Every structure is written in C-alpha cells, then in structure tokens.
Amino acid sequence: MSEINVFRDCPATGIGSMPGGDAREAAKTVTGSFGDGEGMPYLAELPARGPGADMIGRTIGLLAELYGHVEPSGWRISDRPGRDTRRARSWLGEDLDALEEFTQGYEGPLKVQAVGPWTLAAALERRGGEAFLGDPGACRDLADSLAEGLRGHLAEVRRRVPGARLVLQLDEPSLTAVLRGRVRTASGYRTHRAVDRQIVEATLREVLGAAGETATLVHTCAPEVPFALLRRAGAGGISFDLSLLTEREEEAVGEAVEGGTRMFFGVVPGTDPASGRLSDPGGSVMGVRTLWRRLGLNPGTLTESVTVTPSCGLAGASPAYARAALAHCARAARSLADNPE
C-alpha cells in the first residue's frame, strides 16, 4: 500500500494518549472527531488507569515471548506473563473492543501506536535492574520480539476493522537521548554510552519493516529530531512538536518534504491552555505557513505534506479539552487547505 495514498486522507490526527479511564468514551471521542474525511482516528491509550495502560506497559503487552512486571523503579523483564503483563493485555483488549464498536463499517485510515525499540530499551530493565540499553544483544532480542508482536497486533486490528487502512506509529521520545548518550543508568551517576547511529537506524528499519505494506511514522516530542536518520530507516511520516524545531533543523524538514515524507506537525497544546481557550484555527497553523515560506516550498503542497496534531499526547488534559483539541486540529487542517498562503 502506498503511504502517500493513505496519508492523503490524514489532514489531522491525535498522538495516542487520552485522559481518563473509560475506553468507550475515548473511542467515541477519537472516532467522532475525525469522521467524514476530517482526519485519522486512532486506537486510544489511557495511561490514567495505571501500570499496564502506560505507553511502556502497553507495548510490553504486545511483545512476543517476552514479559514484564512493575518494580518501584519501573518495568522489568519477567520469565513468564504475570499479573502486570496480563493486565496490560486485558486493557488493550478492552480498548480494541471499544474501537471495534465505534468503527463498524469504517473505511479509511486508522492509526495504532507502540513504543519504538530504542525508547523501550531505555525504559525496560533487565533482571539485574539495568536498562536493556546497556546490552547490545538484549537490545537485538527486544527489537525482534517487538517486531513479531507488532505483526500480530496489526493482524488483530485488521480482523476487527477490516475496512481500515492501517498506519503504524512508533513512539520514540527517548531516541535523541539514546543517540547522544544521555540516558542515565540505574544509579543515576552516569549515562549509557551513545548507541552507534547505524545500529539505531538498522534496528528501527527492522521494526518498521514488520509493518509490511502498512504505512508507518515515528513520533517524538523531544527536541533534536533526527529527521534524516528516520527517513533512511523507512519512516513514511515524522511526527513532532513544531515549537521545538530550531532553524538548524529546518533544512532537514525541507529535504524530508521534498523527498515525500509526511510531516505531522504538533501545533495544538497537549494540555489545557492557561487562558482557558485555544487560538483560532488559522492562528494554530500560522507557524506551518511561515516555515513553508522560509523553506521556499510551494504552498499548494501543504495538504499533500502536512498532518495537524496536538504537540504531544492528551493524557494530561481534561476530557473536555481533549475533545476540543482534536476538533481544533481538524479545523486547523481545513484552514490550511482553504488558505495555504
């Protein structure tokens, strides 16, 4: 399947997480916000439910033949699927049930999210308490398990929503820290050595490749997004917080756009604004128009190249604001299409 064709129907979407713990309400909000070609609904994540519903726990529940349990320091690898892994899988099943209920007869793009191999390696502890990141062999095994788990997960979503054209999003907020050697060890007194960029790229390519013909993107809400590396790894789209983009990185964005990579611009606040209200939709995407002009790109290509999103997940927002933010993304995308200049 052509990523370009799928992304053409994705003017707006969310990142993944939503507030609260009601799976049906989250699915209703996400599917209702992006109906009738307004954007791309997605499988909501509800971390407020606790360990197993958080982004790391959700992805541990997807792993093939690897399991995890919760320690005071975070998630640690287990020999067998215990209570925490079972809970993660149960909540995922609940979320899938809700999504299936609200996507009956749906035909269009649908996004699912999982933590990418490097953020997972930075967060998941080996049996001794140190992160997987410190053991190259363990990182390879983790990536293999994640790739196999994602194949099964995508097949399950296709079975439940057969008319959907799936998009896989890998969340990699720790990727820059992994590349720069900024991930702290368990003691906190030192950091793990920076991982070679070629190894990072090859591992991402393997996991993204597990999606097969499914369109893919990588999301990070951290600064210093490695645009060129993600493109080489095979990401069809890159999702990031536009407010963190520096002038030094703008050229990489221009190259990505010209190379056909879809830009998922995070421009709507992920939590309730202090003012209590959002700007007008056109104002929310003013930075995108300005960037396009600075890069000398044709304004007519905006709708072909841009998806509007919140700056990060909405787990920390109020339910009312989360609904408003998603609807605002759809309106901002319409503004961009109607007035590209």
Side-chain angles (χ1 to χ4, degrees):
M1 182 189 305
S2 168
E3 287 170 335
I4 293 175
N5 289 339
V6 175
F7 290 151
R8 184 176 293 131
D9 298 325
C10 304
T13 191
I15 300 302
S17 67
M18 295 289 286
D22 188 328
R24 292 187 74 255
E25 184 61 30
K28 181 181 178 181
T29 297
V30 166
T31 55
S33 298
F34 299 121
D36 300 322
E38 293 288 290
M40 176 166 57
Y42 54 94
L43 177 62
E45 301 164 352
L46 302 172
R49 292 181 296 197
D54 60 296
M55 61 186 283
I56 299 298
R58 162 67 63 93
T59 301
I60 287 171
L62 295 175
L63 296 177
E65 299 183 11
L66 284 179
Y67 317 103
H69 67 276
V70 178
E71 294 281 344
S73 55
W75 282 91
R76 186 171 296 179
I77 202 69
S78 298
D79 294 323
R80 59 185 64 86
R83 178 184 61 187
D84 296 327
T85 298
R86 288 195 295 270
R87 183 168 52 202
R89 291 174 175 174
S90 175
W91 272 328
L92 173 59
E94 184 179 313
D95 295 337
L96 285 168
D97 288 344
L99 180 71
E100 184 177 2
E101 177 183 349
F102 287 98
T103 53
Q104 293 296 308
Y106 175 72
E107 295 182 355
L110 176 67
K111 181 164 68 70
V112 298
Q113 305 83 218
V115 174
W118 293 109
T119 295
L120 195 60
L124 180 59
E125 297 175 355
R126 290 171 282 156
R127 290 174 181 81
E130 284 292 351
F132 268 68
L133 192 61
D135 183 333
C139 286
R140 286 193 295 273
D141 292 343
L142 184 62
D144 290 344
S145 174
L146 177 59
E148 184 60 31
L150 287 173
R151 278 189 279 268
H153 181 47
L154 291 168
E156 172 69 5
V157 178
R158 286 192 194 96
R159 183 185 69 78
R160 288 173 175 262
V161 194
R165 291 172 290 149
L166 296 189
V167 174
L168 172 64
Q169 173 182 305
L170 293 184
D171 292 315
E172 282 284 15
S174 298
L175 182 59
T176 299
V178 168
L179 289 166
R180 306 268 181 185
R182 297 173 183 165
V183 177
R184 293 203 168 276
T185 59
S187 69
Y189 293 120
R190 62 184 183 87
T191 57
H192 288 282
R193 183 178 302 172
V195 181
D196 182 89
R197 297 179 76 88
Q198 290 184 332
I199 294 174
V200 169
E201 180 184 324
T203 303
L204 279 170
R205 186 181 299 110
E206 174 197 347
V207 176
L208 288 167
E213 294 299 307
T214 297
T216 60
L217 69 131
V218 175
H219 165 72
T220 175
C221 49
E224 303 175 79
V225 179
F227 291 98
L229 183 151
L230 295 175
R231 291 175 59 211
R232 291 195 303 270
I238 301 173
S239 172
F240 62 101
D241 182 347
L242 181 59
S243 71
L244 300 179
L245 188 72
T246 65
E247 287 187 23
R248 187 179 61 214
E249 296 161 327
E250 289 182 0
E251 185 177 342
V253 171
E255 291 174 355
V257 169
E258 290 179 337
T261 304
R262 185 82 175 193
M263 292 289 110
F264 288 70
F265 285 118
V267 296
V268 177
T271 54
D272 302 54
S275 66
R277 65 181 191 277
L278 288 159
S279 70
D280 67 282
S284 293
V285 288
M286 184 61 68
V288 179
R289 293 189 182 97
T290 301
L291 175 63
W292 235 245
R293 285 196 296 271
R294 277 206 301 269
L295 292 172
L297 296 170
N298 180 358
T301 65
L302 276 167
T303 55
E304 302 169 9
S305 305
V306 172
T307 297
V308 177
T309 76
S311 58
C312 211
L314 295 167
S318 67
Y321 176 74
R323 289 191 294 271
L326 294 181
H328 191 83
C329 287
R331 288 195 296 270
R334 282 201 303 273
S335 169
L336 206 58
D338 294 341
N339 301 293
E341 298 188 65

